[in-house]
Amino acid sequence: MYGKMEGYERYDFSMLDQYYDGRLSLRDEWDKTDVCPNPGFYEVVESKVKEAFGFTSPRVKYWVLCGHDSCIDVLAYSFEWEEVEWGKAM
């Protein structure tokens, strides 16, 4: 599903199967809802990862950022993002 990406089997992407097997169209869903069905950035709600790294505070959230070749696990209280136009990065 994600080309050369290693380790993706650690995550449950089954909610995206309907888009990749042709039952639903990513483009149609995106146009209809104005929300990308596969943004590549997900909050993981039920996981033991936080505890495995010693985080017990409910304020610490666990996100997964997926690119073409890999996923990055993120543990943090919050995050900020900024949209940058291609070729105009700071």
Side-chain angles (χ1 to χ4, degrees), residues 18-30:
Q18 58 194 347
Y19 300 106
Y20 292 101
D21 66 15
R23 286 180 280 154
L24 290 177
S25 162
L26 277 169
R27 170 60 66 196
D28 291 347
E29 185 73 14
W30 200 343

Side-chain angles (χ1 to χ4, degrees), residues 44-86:
V44 181
V45 221
E46 294 183 26
S47 171
K48 301 290 183 204
V49 170
K50 293 190 313 183
E51 290 80 8
F53 284 95
F55 294 103
T56 56
S57 170
R59 289 183 48 215
V60 174
K61 304 292 184 191
Y62 173 33
W63 293 282
V64 176
L65 173 61
C66 294
H68 182 267
D69 295 326
S70 62
C71 288
I72 298 171
D73 296 292
V74 179
L75 295 169
Y77 292 118
S78 65
F79 69 92
E80 292 183 22
W81 66 276
E82 179 180 343
E83 185 174 351
V84 178
E85 286 187 49
W86 181 257

Side-chain angles (χ1 to χ4, degrees), residues 8-24:
Y8 76 88
E9 64 278 351
R10 294 186 310 160
Y11 309 102
D12 178 10
F13 290 112
S14 60
M15 65 178 266
L16 301 174
D17 289 347
Q18 58 194 347
Y19 300 106
Y20 292 101
D21 66 15
R23 286 180 280 154
L24 290 177

